[in-house]
């Protein structure tokens, strides 16, 4: 605690996850004034057919 | 934002996901008075051995 | 179950909540093929100083 | 409702899930004074490369 | 981590929260084989006009 | 989308929220390769009697 949940598309590269966890934990530690050791970050990979933006599935968008 | 998370059993058929995202986004757009373009919907597929209802796993129920 | 969580700005009017819950529950019931009686919807009111879009708090935006 | 979401590392053994759901549902039923039949528990399995504790991925820790 | 989120109606009595946190943390510690010191539990109080069951707000039900 | 939810104790100071949202959004934008304009961050303030760490309520700890 604090616990941070990140919902996004799959982040294939583990190096990206490593850096994301480090940066988000550091930012939260500063904001809350709580040691970074207490920070928990959970990354949720969501497949594009399970996410809708603007009422349409990401898997149906050409972007 | 708004962001809507739907926790349920797996929805195998993508057409069901497509319609669910469209309908939920439209309902939320009307309620909040925010354009449907801003709506995010995330569908979470949960396997039956990871869900308990009434203290028992769905995978242990005959329903 | 299914359980649907709606994260948005405050929806002051209870009539809007009533309709949102009814419509989202009906859409989910159809998609999952599960009776509407089993649907749970939780509306989360988030104050504008607790939500950031595009890296800025909603309370700092003139929109 | 109530709905309880458990975020943790994978719980491979279904017997562990069975017992966890039963115990957590019983505890919540007592606390809320609501029949256990109404309790929903969702177990989320998170791979170690998607969880950061103390700013580092679990998959990078020797524990 | 593990992190457990409990969504329910308001649990007015702090003694109920105290016991709920203790019991749920113990059950999770046993299931995951992780010391209870690492368990995080977050209780979310939801007002009855923000929860829908069976397509209707709890505040509209006579139960 | 992506959507990031931060569960922590209350962050009284709006300047802390402002900076936290900016930093977390920037880190996620870099990781996902998605413009910061699409990032949503939701900060959840949790009172100490609703959070348990190590099986005990934060409001019962002398920290």
């Amino acid at each position: 605690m604090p616990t941070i949940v990140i919902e996004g598309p799959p982040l294939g590269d583990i190096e990206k996850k490593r850096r994301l966890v480090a940066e988000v934990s550091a930012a939260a530690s500063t904001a809350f004034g709580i040691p970074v050791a207490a920070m928990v970050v959970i990354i949720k990979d969501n497949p594009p057919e399970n996410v809708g933006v603007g009422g349409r599935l990401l898997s149906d968008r050409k972007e």
Side-chain angles (χ1 to χ4, degrees), chain A:
Chain A
M1 175 84 181
T3 300
I4 298 157
V5 178
I6 302 174
E7 299 278 356
L11 255 180
D13 184 353
I14 197 171
E15 184 49 43
K16 289 183 184 170
K17 295 180 180 179
R18 196 174 276 134
R19 204 162 30 176
L20 178 58
V21 160
E23 291 179 4
V24 166
S25 298
S29 172
T30 300
F32 288 103
I34 294 176
V36 75
M39 301 295 141
V40 175
V41 179
I42 306 175
I43 299 172
K44 299 289 189 179
D45 296 324
N46 295 282
E49 72 268 18
N50 280 20
V51 179
V53 175
R56 294 176 56 212
L57 297 178
L58 287 188
S59 54
D60 287 341
R61 293 161 67 113
K62 302 185 189 308
E63 168 200 16

